[in-house]
Amino acid sequence: ITILREPVSHLHSHLNWLKKVGNDPASDYFRRHNDIIQRVALKMNRFDFSTATGIREFIENLEGMEFDLFDNCQSRFFLTKRPDKVLEYHFEEIRKNLSSFYCIGFTEKYDEFISEFCNKINVPVLTQKNEQKHLNKSKRKPLFQFNDPEILDSINPLIESDLKLYSLVQSQKNG
């Protein structure tokens, strides 16, 4: 089983979290992360994520394992081997590997996923509405505007495959 998240929101959340790690290099929070995370978090604070230009500059300056942290993160989980970059031809393997999953849901429709999963394994659904608090929800202002076409174009290389994956699973569920 697995749960997918809308790709723009997923990337934004990941960027936001990692940028926060680098806010205070003297903090215990910063020191609890490995060297790669610390280095990328500090590097992120040099870029303006509120502009398409700043996002493009950030992406252009990613190197090695740094790129792995942001490039089509959800699609990577459906691949047998970790590529340096998720490319168009990887999508056939992603599509094929989807059939290995018994149940795939969406974060945005969590209650629906719980119901579907419980029905599939023949377990009664205990709640009708998920009223859990979102403990990891950021209170910080967004790094970028989700509806800005230039911003969406600039982040596209990092979520192109994830968008296709999300859309494919949606169409399978609706079809």
Side-chain angles (χ1 to χ4, degrees):
I1 66 167
T2 193
I3 299 177
L4 298 174
R5 184 171 180 188
E6 189 282 316
V8 175
S9 297
H10 182 263
L11 177 64
H12 180 271
S13 177
H14 193 55
L15 289 166
N16 202 27
W17 164 75
L18 203 46
K19 194 166 176 17
K20 180 183 174 189
V21 169
N23 282 350
D24 182 6
S27 71
D28 286 339
Y29 182 68
F30 178 81
R31 287 193 298 273
R32 282 195 307 253
H33 294 86
N34 69 41
D35 292 347
I36 294 170
I37 298 296
Q38 289 176 0
R39 186 177 67 241
V40 174
L42 291 174
K43 184 178 193 175
M44 289 180 73
N45 286 311
R46 298 192 320 241
F47 298 95
D48 180 2
F49 287 87
S50 68
T51 69
T53 301
I55 293 170
R56 282 189 195 100
E57 287 173 357
F58 169 70
I59 294 170
E60 289 166 6
N61 282 280
L62 290 174
E63 18 182 63
M65 285 296 289
E66 295 174 349
F67 200 71
D68 292 359
L69 294 171
F70 305 104
D71 173 56
N72 292 289
C73 293
Q74 295 180 95
S75 294
R76 287 176 176 276
F77 290 111
F78 291 88
L79 293 170
T80 310
K81 295 182 180 175
R82 183 200 65 77
D84 291 336
K85 168 97 178 100
V86 177
L87 300 171
E88 180 72 29
Y89 74 88
H90 289 115
F91 203 75
E92 276 313 305
E93 182 183 351
I94 292 166
R95 183 189 312 270
K96 181 180 162 213
N97 288 340
L98 280 173
S99 65
S100 300
F101 286 80
Y102 185 65
C103 187
I104 300 175
F106 299 103
T107 302
E108 300 78 21
K109 295 180 178 180
Y110 186 74
D111 293 331
E112 188 178 297
F113 167 73
I114 292 297
S115 293
E116 178 186 351
F117 179 69
C118 288
N119 287 334
K120 282 188 178 217
I121 63 169
N122 236 0
V123 172
V125 179
L126 298 178
T127 63
Q128 293 296 334
K129 178 141 177 67
N130 176 18
E131 296 181 14
Q132 297 177 8
K133 280 188 165 188
H134 296 277
L135 299 176
N136 69 344
K137 190 170 185 174
S138 175
K139 293 173 181 65
R140 297 163 41 145
K141 77 175 199 153
L143 294 176
F144 56 77
Q145 294 300 315
F146 286 60
N147 58 354
D148 180 330
E150 196 176 357
I151 296 280
L152 294 175
D153 186 57
S154 70
I155 64 172
N156 192 62
L158 296 179
I159 59 171
E160 189 171 19
S161 183
D162 285 356
L163 289 167
K164 283 177 66 174
L165 168 66
Y166 193 83
S167 178
L168 176 61
V169 173
Q170 277 185 317
S171 67
Q172 289 175 346
K173 287 186 154 309
N174 296 332

